Amino acid sequence: MQVKIDTKEKFSVVTPLEPEMTDNLAADWYVFCTGCLSQSTPHIVLNMSEVSHITPQGVSLLVNLQQQFYESGSSFVICCLQEQVESLLEQAEVLEQLNVTPTESEAWDIVQMEEIERELLDDDHPETHV
């Protein structure tokens, strides 16, 4: 699995360098991304600019990762989808479930807005603080 990782202050930009997300790569991606949840910056921007094909297991992986990140209070934003991949996600009727932006810059904005939202929600519920 070839990947480029660019760690920012609040999140990491992860760019798969393989043109196809096969079933085996999807399993590797799942392990890699869920491992990021235990890092000091658990938010991920997944830049899919190099991926031109994704298998059904890869589609399922993205949906599961999205759900797992949000359940753990972390952001998972996908950006720079190639047209073919976006069409596959639409055909699988999951595009609406994913947090997708056209550009990496917009994905950064989403992560930062979600971080602010989580902080505000924590402030609204002080009884959850110990």
Side-chain angles (χ1 to χ4, degrees):
M1 175 176 81
Q2 293 182 335
V3 62
K4 175 185 169 193
I5 301 171
D6 184 11
T7 303
K8 307 289 185 189
E9 182 182 347
K10 297 270 186 183
F11 57 92
S12 295
V13 178
V14 179
T15 306
L17 300 177
E18 308 280 339
E20 184 173 350
M21 187 177 284
T22 63
D23 290 351
N24 288 340
L25 280 176
D28 291 345
W29 271 105
Y30 188 82
V31 170
F32 174 80
C33 289
T34 54
C36 292
L37 286 169
S38 62
Q39 302 297 318
S40 59
T41 54
H43 312 295
I44 289 184
V45 170
L46 184 61
N47 182 325
M48 297 281 283
S49 60
E50 301 294 320
V51 179
S52 58
H53 181 75
I54 187 168
T55 64
Q57 184 175 348
V59 170
S60 179
L61 160 101
L62 293 177
V63 172
N64 289 337
L65 283 172
Q66 177 85 45
Q67 184 176 17
Q68 190 163 359
F69 270 72
Y70 280 104
E71 286 174 1
S72 70
S74 299
S75 296
F76 183 80
V77 184
I78 302 166
C79 68
C80 305
L81 286 175
Q82 288 194 22
E83 201 172 304
Q84 311 91 290
V85 174
E86 187 171 349
S87 292
L88 288 169
L89 295 174
E90 276 184 26
Q91 290 171 6
E93 298 180 353
V94 299
L95 191 60
E96 299 284 322
Q97 298 172 35
L98 299 170
N99 200 351
V100 177
T101 65
T103 67
E104 192 175 302
S105 176
E106 289 170 284
W108 296 3
D109 291 343
I110 295 290
V111 171
Q112 292 170 338
M113 286 189 304
E114 288 178 348
E115 182 70 17
I116 292 168
E117 183 178 279
R118 281 188 286 271
E119 288 173 7
L120 290 173
L121 287 175
D122 282 349
D123 288 346
D124 286 345
H125 302 286
E127 66 277 0
T128 61
H129 297 291
V130 179

